[in-house]
């Protein structure tokens, strides 16, 4: 099963590297959102620093919607989704592989946007360990929930508009937890960062298990 | 002998529309079966049902001994479906695509090389991204990615569409070779004269049901469905 999950993840990542959609479209979109936030608040540097964690994670979630939609679009484009069903690969491996590929893309996006936040919002990092762990756990949570809901809407003609409506409320706990953890890591609020990290890890674990168990049924309906 | 395909009063609804409205059909292993009928007759749905991609709304069905109601995953592993779409990834090369589907099926690199050779996907073509291929080349790459699976049941929907004469001959050779190796081949095509040389059993489909089945009249697959026996096959 791990071999198949690795196969799926490798395929998805290779397609993304080859197509450069992430680099040429998703990253510029995310940077633009971040810059717009900076323009909107730049008269108040203190507000920028205070709200930097929340603005960062809202931007990551918006960009994640594009990455998740793209992950399923490449399978649907010329019938590869049917081939995946016919391949006999365990749906759990398909889920794991797709979620892993999305998570890797989100981590790369977080690193690039994190540099942007440090540059534009004038924040400093006080707890690097918490920052890295929260970033990884949030990426895992968004990727697992996103893969699940991406499959849910994959077969629908309105998937591009339906995915945000369904997914954003579900990942609200990630937004809250990751924002609180980053506030602690940036030293802009007295949040219990490590406790919020627990919430992020729990969210990722729940959606990881739930997604793995239900993915086969979702693929059948897609 | 166990049937390769056995359907009994098979009904498949697409939404509320009965794409298959009660099909009874038996196909024995090693047969080449031609599904003929007008557009919208239900041929594609019948092929997808046999591949385990469509579900039975009512009725019963078995493919390669597996129940279509409860063992569709087992069916899928043993069949190959060449549909209207290629099942390939535009941003991967031909070799990467064929290798991916080969590894997904548990095949090795020798199978990949052999399949690419058979479909003349060698040289620069092998390292070309699928997005840059012509329609015919894409079709060949799609067929190669199915050949590596070594399926026991081939389901081919318009297999000659978009191919040049040379590749059409290659497809015919592939069909003959698969049947000679013991695989069952079910194909739907409007190019009936071309298929006649394969001496298939001809099954006429119209309105979501089998209208006629003529295992002996293999030399005249051009006769219209209405001229066939207006009976369901059991």
């Amino acid at each position: 099963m791990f071999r198949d999950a690795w196969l799926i993840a490798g395929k998805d990542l290779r397609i993304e590297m080859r197509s450069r959609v992430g680099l040429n479209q998703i990253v510029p979109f995310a940077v633009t959102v971040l810059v717009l936030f900076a323009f909107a608040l730049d008269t108040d540097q203190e507000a920028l620093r205070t709200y930097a964690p929340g603005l960062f994670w809202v931007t990551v979630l918006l960009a994640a919607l594009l990455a998740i939609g793209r992950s399923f679009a490449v399978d649907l484009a010329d019938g590869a989704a049917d081939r995946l069903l016919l391949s006999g690969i365990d749906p759990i491996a398909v889920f794991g592989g797709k979620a892993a590929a999305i998570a890797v893309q989100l981590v790369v996006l977080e690193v690039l946007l994190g540099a942007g936040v440090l540059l534009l919002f004038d924040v400093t990092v006080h707890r690097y360990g918490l920052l890295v762990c929260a970033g990884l756990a949030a990426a895992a949570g968004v990727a697992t929930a996103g893969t699940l809901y991406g499959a849910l809407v994959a077969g629908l003609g309105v998937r591009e508009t339906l995915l945000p409506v369904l997914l954003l409320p579900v990942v609200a706990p990630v937004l809250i937890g990751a924002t609180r953890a980053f506030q602690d890591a940036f030293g802009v609020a007295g949040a219990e960062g490590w406790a919020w990290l627990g919430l992020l890890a729990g969210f990722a674990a729940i959606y990881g298990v739930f997604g793995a168990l239900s993915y086969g049924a979702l693929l059948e309906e897609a | 002998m166990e049937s390769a395909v056995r359907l009994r009063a098979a009904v498949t609804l697409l939404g509320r529309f009965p794409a298959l409205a009660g099909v009874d059909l038996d196909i024995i292993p090693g047969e080449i079966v031609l599904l003929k009928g007008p557009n919208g007759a239900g041929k594609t749905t019948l092929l997808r049902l046999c591949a385990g991609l469509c579900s039975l709304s009512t009725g019963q069905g078995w493919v390669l001994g597996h129940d279509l109601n409860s063992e569709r995953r087992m069916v899928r592993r043993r069949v190959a479906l060449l549909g209207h779409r290629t099942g390939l990834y535009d941003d991967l090369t031909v070799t990467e695509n064929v290798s991916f589907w080969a590894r997904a099926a548990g095949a090795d690199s020798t199978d990949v090389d052999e399949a690419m050779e058979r479909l003349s996907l060698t040289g620069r073509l092998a390292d070309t991204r699928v997005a840059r291929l012509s329609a015919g080349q894409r079709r060949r790459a799609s067929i190669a990615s199915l050949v590596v699976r070594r399926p026991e049941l081939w389901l081919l929907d318009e297999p000659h569409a978009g191919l040049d004469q040379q590749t059409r001959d290659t497809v015919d050779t592939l069909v003959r070779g698969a049947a000679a190796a013991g695989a069952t081949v079910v194909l739907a095509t409007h190019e009936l004269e071309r298929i006649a040389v394969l001496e298939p059993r001809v099954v006429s489909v119209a309105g979501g049901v089998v209208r006629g089945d003529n295992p002996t009249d293999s030399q005249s697959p051009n006769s219209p469905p209405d001229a066939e026996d207006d009976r369901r096959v059991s």
Side-chain angles (χ1 to χ4, degrees):
Chain A
M1 187 188 304
F2 287 110
R3 185 197 73 93
D4 287 342
W6 180 251
L7 183 67
I8 298 288
K11 179 263 297 176
D12 278 5
L13 289 172
R14 179 171 288 184
I15 288 172
E16 288 314 312
M17 282 193 292
R18 199 64 68 66
S19 70
R20 297 177 183 267
V21 168
L23 199 64
N24 293 343
Q25 293 175 31
I26 297 176
V27 169
F29 165 76
V31 170
T32 302
V33 171
L34 210 58
V35 170
L36 288 175
F37 280 140
F39 284 163
L41 298 171
D42 78 338
T43 53
D44 187 349
Q45 276 294 315
E46 192 55 41
L48 263 183
R49 268 192 293 276
T50 304
Y51 299 131
L55 299 178
F56 172 84
W57 282 108
V58 167
T59 307
V60 169
L61 289 186
L62 292 177
L65 290 172
L66 301 181
I68 293 162
R70 164 93 185 139
S71 174
F72 288 90
V74 295
D75 284 337
L76 292 166
D78 202 9
D82 279 349
R83 283 273 178 99
L84 276 176
L85 274 178
L86 288 168
S87 71
I89 293 179
D90 194 316
I92 297 174
V94 178
F95 173 79
K98 293 197 85 65
I102 291 170
V104 168
Q105 293 174 67
L106 291 182
V107 168
V108 172
L109 183 70
E110 287 173 19
V111 170
L112 294 173
L113 285 182
V117 164
L118 295 178
L119 202 70
L120 292 170
F121 294 5
D122 194 27
V123 293
T124 51
V125 180
H126 295 266
R127 296 184 178 191
Y128 282 99
L130 177 60
L131 190 81
V132 170
C133 291
L136 292 174
V142 174
T144 50
T147 304
L148 188 63
Y149 280 84
L152 184 68
V153 302
L156 304 175
V158 292
R159 59 181 173 275
E160 290 89 355
T161 46
L162 191 57
L163 180 63
V165 174
L166 293 179
L167 183 60
L168 288 178
V170 169
V171 295
V174 175
L175 175 67
I176 296 167
T179 299
R180 297 288 183 272
F182 268 41
Q183 283 176 337
D184 195 4
F186 288 158
V188 294
E192 289 290 330
W194 291 104
W196 287 105
L197 176 61
L199 172 83
L200 292 175
F203 182 95
I206 288 169
Y207 268 92
V209 172
F210 183 58
L213 294 178
S214 58
Y215 206 67
L218 285 178
L219 288 183
E220 294 289 340
E221 298 301 322
Chain B
M1 180 186 291
E2 186 180 71
S3 295
V5 175
R6 169 176 278 193
L7 300 175
R8 292 291 178 269
V11 174
T12 293
L13 298 174
L14 298 181
R16 292 181 179 179
F17 174 72
L20 297 179
V23 171
D24 294 308
L25 183 64
D26 279 291
I27 298 173
I28 61 173
E31 264 192 310
I32 299 176
V33 177
L34 166 65
L35 299 179
K36 71 168 188 173
N39 290 335
K43 303 186 296 294
T44 296
T45 305
L46 183 52
L47 291 174
R48 288 177 63 83
L49 176 68
C50 292
L53 288 176
C54 285
S55 57
L56 277 171
S57 301
T58 61
Q60 291 180 299
W62 295 265
V63 172
L64 301 171
H66 300 294
D67 193 324
L68 282 176
N69 283 311
S70 58
E71 298 174 309
R72 283 198 290 163
R73 275 187 64 191
M74 299 300 291
V75 171
R76 290 169 183 161
R77 292 178 185 186
R78 299 172 64 186
V79 307
L81 172 67
L82 180 67
H84 296 159
R85 296 186 293 174
T86 65
L88 303 175
Y89 294 101
D90 274 359
D91 291 305
L92 300 182
T93 66
V94 173
T95 303
E96 287 168 343
N97 266 289
V98 177
S99 297
F100 171 74
W101 292 117
R103 289 176 66 191
D108 57 34
S109 58
T110 315
D111 297 318
V112 174
D113 295 340
E114 189 184 317
M116 303 243 320
E117 187 80 32
R118 276 176 80 181
L119 274 298
S120 306
L121 296 165
T122 52
R124 278 180 57 194
L125 201 55
D127 296 322
T128 304
R129 284 194 211 181
V130 165
R132 293 175 185 160
L133 300 181
S134 69
Q137 289 169 332
R138 291 170 73 100
R139 196 76 166 163
R140 272 156 51 195
S142 180
I143 294 169
S145 69
L146 293 175
V147 167
V148 291
R149 293 168 56 94
R150 297 185 186 277
E152 294 163 65
L153 172 61
W154 281 90
L155 303 161
L156 307 174
D157 200 355
E158 297 290 349
H160 300 98
L163 298 181
D164 58 23
Q165 186 61 41
Q166 184 186 353
T167 314
R168 288 170 178 223
D169 293 341
T170 306
V171 170
D172 293 344
T173 305
L174 184 80
V175 170
R176 278 199 203 90
T184 308
V185 181
V186 183
L187 51 89
T189 182
H190 294 292
E191 300 198 34
L192 305 178
E193 286 180 7
R194 175 167 200 95
I195 291 302
V197 298
L198 298 173
E199 300 184 352
R201 169 184 160 198
V202 181
V203 173
S204 299
V205 182
V209 295
V210 172
R211 295 286 186 188
D213 188 353
N214 197 344
T216 56
D217 186 18
S218 58
Q219 299 303 313
S220 58
N222 271 325
S223 52
D226 291 342
E228 302 279 351
D229 292 341
D230 190 10
R231 62 182 169 82
R232 293 182 187 181
V233 180
S234 58

